[in-house]
Amino acid sequence: MTNEEFKSTLWNSANILRGSVAAAEYKYPVLALVFLKYVSDIFKAQGKVIENRLAEPDSPMYVVDRDLRQEMAAELASDRDAYTQDNVFWVPEGARYEDLLAHIAADDLAQRLDKAMKAIEDENPELVGVLYRDFGRLELEAGKLGELMKELAKLKFDPAKHGSRDIFGEVYEYFLGEFARSEGAKAGEFYTPKSVVNLLVEILAPFKGKIYDPACGSGGMFVQSIKFMHAHEKQLGKDGDLPIYGQELMATTRKLCKMNLAVHGLRGDLGNTYGSTFTNDQHPNLRADYILANPPFNISKWGGDSLSDDPRWQWGIPPANNANYAWLQHMASRLSQRGRAAIVLANGSMTTQTSGEGEIRKNLIISDLVECMVALPGQLFSNTQIPACLWFLSKDKGAGVNGSIDRKGEVLFIDCRKKGAEQLSRTQIAFTDDELHAIALTYHRWRGSAFSDGQDYADEPGFCMSASMADMEKHHYALTPGRYVGAADMDDDDEAFEDKMAELTARVAERMARGRELEDEIRQRLAGIGYEI
């Protein structure tokens, strides 16, 4: 299939369940079946790999009669170790996609699928509690599930033709992206656009050390970080190592993350359970070298009322009706002595003065924790229209482990609002590869890091500036990049207006979120007494 045909097949398969299953739920059975198709194809292909190994000239079996080799290959094909040694999931007989495809017209297909997923979990410890096993509870029209399986059977995962983990990773990410676009605001619970993830990773440059995401969603930050590490091992002449730690609020999203890690051959510590990072912290003693996170913007119900004396609030007590500065402080408190963090937040966080947030921001700056601020263009996110920015924190801005240039008392401001030249759709844009490289290189030159090209950093009017503490004090510790880089088309009055609009937008978004929460609560209570609206 061409790339477009491939994508069309993927999305057509998902749409078969549209109208039968709630939009926010149908991604789980679809992704589970794609996973089943993937592991079944790779399992089958491994049998051929085993046979070919016996026929290689350097194999001790090369001199054996061909019929005997085939007999031995058939025997090895039923040996679990011959699969697991190559990180291939063992798929027991009866649980393989082709076995189940033979029963797509059966009345008990859903139950067969649930048993198959259970059997795969039983054979592969890293998948225990991960796979979707609620096919039997789906309220579907007769034949819908079989129709979906027949459509997905068109997908072919062949490790002889491509990197199977990479191609499945693309499939998984494509699905998550499409579901995010279709679900709108709810998508923020599990998906960060690839363009934003790439920029975070390229600037943070995780290579060796513990990596943590306290709002890990489906695990995209982890996967991209590991890809970055492997891509730069040859450049740096050494192996990277990134032990993974994360936490996720939603049980179903946590399963998406664990599956995502598993199919990429990764293991991670996601704590003992799902739950709030604020009220049920799974890693209270962790000190991470790298933190990447896209926490939900402006959430009002985060447990702040009961956490006023929490030791994480070293820079000030965050307001109970907005978690932005709780997220910042949680992550700052989890950094190691060399640790750095990359965080996506609403634009309002850069200028807000409400409920003591301005004082907390000032304290973070004076403590020399803020390293870099990046203003993002609009339309990067499919699930929110709230303007966003990137915060980069660092516990060590001196010359040494994080860079050869001493940047104590300075903050790098980068204004990317005019970037994002790739048009993904009518309503969404992305950074091009060249743009991503240029933005990240600006940071690495400024810091003198191992990922720099060796050229000197220079301020660029309208794009970037290294500001001093005195510069930031003059701007009352506001962190909007446009104030510092001197954009040619924006004077101080325009920038002040933009700051006010950003804060107003954040407040409106918060009120709307509260309204949606109240509406959901009313619906649930009415449903509890037999009424539906």
Side-chain angles (χ1 to χ4, degrees):
M1 288 186 283
T2 66
N3 193 43
E4 288 308 310
E5 288 171 337
F6 183 61
K7 288 183 177 180
S8 177
T9 297
L10 291 173
W11 195 234
N12 285 343
S13 67
N15 283 333
I16 286 172
L17 294 189
R18 269 183 183 264
S20 300
V21 181
E25 296 299 322
Y26 75 109
K27 61 178 171 289
Y28 303 111
V30 172
L31 285 169
L33 288 175
V34 174
F35 175 79
L36 179 62
K37 183 67 169 68
Y38 163 75
V39 295
S40 298
D41 282 5
I42 301 308
F43 181 88
K44 185 176 181 180
Q46 183 69 6
K48 180 63 70 175
V49 169
I50 294 168
E51 183 178 340
N52 290 342
R53 279 179 183 163
L54 295 177
E56 290 173 356
D58 59 350
S59 167
M61 299 295 109
Y62 182 67
V63 295
V64 176
D65 176 79
R66 182 173 179 274
D67 289 339
L68 182 56
R69 279 206 312 268
Q70 288 181 335
E71 185 179 328
M72 295 178 68
E75 185 175 336
L76 279 173
S78 60
D79 183 352
R80 192 176 184 279
D81 291 341
Y83 293 80
T84 56
Q85 70 178 8
D86 286 347
N87 292 318
V88 172
F89 293 114
W90 177 261
V91 186
E93 192 171 351
R96 297 161 196 169
Y97 200 90
E98 60 269 25
D99 298 338
L100 293 157
L101 199 61
H103 299 279
I104 57 173
D107 292 337
D108 64 345
L109 176 61
Q111 288 71 28
R112 287 174 183 266
L113 284 167
D114 286 334
K115 288 179 181 178
M117 294 298 181
K118 175 67 165 58
I120 293 172
E121 284 192 354
D122 289 344
E123 294 288 349
N124 301 275
E126 62 267 51
L127 295 178
V128 172
V130 172
L131 303 184
Y132 180 83
R133 287 195 277 135
D134 284 328
F135 288 98
R137 297 182 182 181
L138 292 173
E139 296 181 1
L140 294 173
E141 299 173 22
K144 277 279 187 181
L145 204 52
E147 187 182 348
L148 173 58
M149 288 193 67
K150 189 175 179 181
E151 187 74 14
L152 287 173
K154 297 175 184 177
L155 299 175
K156 306 294 180 186
F157 297 103
D158 185 355
K161 295 181 180 178
H162 48 64
S164 56
R165 288 197 190 280
D166 288 343
I167 201 68
F168 181 78
E170 288 183 23
V171 170
Y172 197 85
E173 184 171 312
Y174 174 79
F175 262 99
L176 290 174
E178 290 301 307
F179 284 127
R181 276 186 275 277
S182 69
E183 289 183 34
K186 285 288 185 183
E189 295 173 357
F190 67 89
Y191 185 74
T192 303
K194 185 177 180 181
S195 187
V196 178
V197 175
N198 285 346
L199 182 56
L200 288 166
V201 171
E202 289 293 325
I203 293 179
L204 195 66
F207 189 78
K208 200 172 188 69
K210 295 176 182 177
I211 186 168
Y212 172 53
D213 184 345
C216 64
S218 52
M221 302 285 191
F222 298 135
V223 172
Q224 192 57 36
S225 295
I226 300 298
K227 286 183 179 179
F228 177 92
M229 179 192 75
H230 288 316
H232 289 84
E233 285 177 326
K234 187 174 180 181
Q235 172 194 340
L236 298 181
K238 55 185 177 181
D239 293 337
D241 183 29
L242 291 171
I244 291 169
Y245 297 84
Q247 181 161 348
E248 171 52 40
L249 176 65
M250 309 296 292
T252 48
T253 305
R254 185 172 182 264
K255 288 184 178 183
L256 290 181
C257 181
K258 294 183 77 171
M259 188 192 298
N260 201 5
L261 293 178
V263 299
H264 283 90
L266 305 175
R267 295 180 182 273
D269 181 350
L270 301 187
N272 295 322
T273 186
Y274 61 93
S276 166
T277 302
F278 298 123
T279 59
N280 189 16
D281 187 3
Q282 295 293 294
H283 305 287
N285 299 315
L286 175 68
R287 294 299 176 266
D289 302 296
Y290 307 101
I291 297 178
L292 293 102
N294 175 23
F297 295 171
N298 304 319
I299 57 172
S300 57
K301 292 184 178 180
W302 61 276
D305 290 331
S306 61
L307 295 171
S308 59
D309 58 350
D310 195 287
R312 286 172 289 187
W313 317 147
Q314 299 175 42
W315 300 273
I317 299 174
N321 63 353
N322 192 311
N324 288 346
Y325 276 81
W327 284 117
L328 281 169
Q329 293 191 82
H330 170 78
M331 287 181 245
S333 70
R334 291 294 177 267
L335 289 173
S336 69
Q337 287 306 304
R338 53 159 281 194
R340 295 168 55 235
I343 308 152
V344 187
L345 282 177
N347 267 7
S349 64
M350 297 188 290
T351 57
T352 176
Q353 297 291 339
T354 59
S355 303
E357 290 173 318
E359 191 64 24
I360 299 173
R361 183 173 59 253
K362 175 182 175 181
N363 292 337
L364 288 168
I365 295 168
I366 292 174
S367 298
D368 213 14
L369 274 168
V370 182
E371 181 182 44
C372 178
M373 297 295 301
V374 179
L376 297 176
Q379 295 188 299
L380 280 179
F381 295 82
S382 61
N383 58 299
T384 180
Q385 295 303 309
I386 301 174
C389 63
L390 306 182
W391 287 66
F392 291 87
L393 308 179
S394 177
K395 288 291 286 290
D396 184 358
K397 291 162 68 175
V401 66
N402 288 331
S404 61
I405 301 174
D406 188 337
R407 292 297 183 180
K408 292 177 183 175
E410 297 179 63
V411 172
L412 176 63
F413 289 92
I414 303 177
D415 192 343
C416 297
R417 287 173 299 165
K418 298 297 176 66
K419 307 292 184 183
E422 183 177 352
Q423 194 76 39
L424 297 180
S425 68
R426 184 179 59 83
T427 59
Q428 191 176 13
I429 62 173
F431 293 116
T432 65
D433 289 343
D434 287 344
E435 287 174 329
L436 283 170
H437 178 72
I439 298 165
L441 189 57
T442 298
Y443 166 82
H444 291 299
R445 285 176 178 173
W446 178 77
R447 199 66 185 83
S449 79
F451 303 94
S452 172
D453 60 358
Q455 295 188 31
D456 293 337
Y457 166 82
D459 289 344
E460 184 179 329
F463 176 60
C464 63
M465 178 189 171
S466 183
S468 67
M469 285 287 183
D471 293 326
M472 289 177 281
E473 183 179 13
K474 185 170 66 176
H475 287 288
H476 307 290
Y477 300 101
L479 291 176
T480 314
R483 287 182 176 233
Y484 299 90
V485 303
D489 61 344
M490 185 172 290
D491 58 29
D492 287 343
D493 289 340
D494 291 332
E495 187 60 41
F497 174 74
E498 184 181 81
D499 289 348
K500 291 175 184 176
M501 281 302 296
E503 187 171 344
L504 180 60
T505 302
R507 289 184 185 178
V508 170
E510 181 185 328
R511 295 286 177 86
M512 291 176 68
R514 287 185 192 173
R516 284 192 295 269
E517 289 173 359
L518 181 59
E519 183 180 332
D520 289 343
E521 186 176 336
I522 292 171
R523 287 177 183 275
Q524 290 172 8
R525 292 191 178 188
L526 286 174
I529 57 174
Y531 289 91
E532 290 189 8
I533 59 170

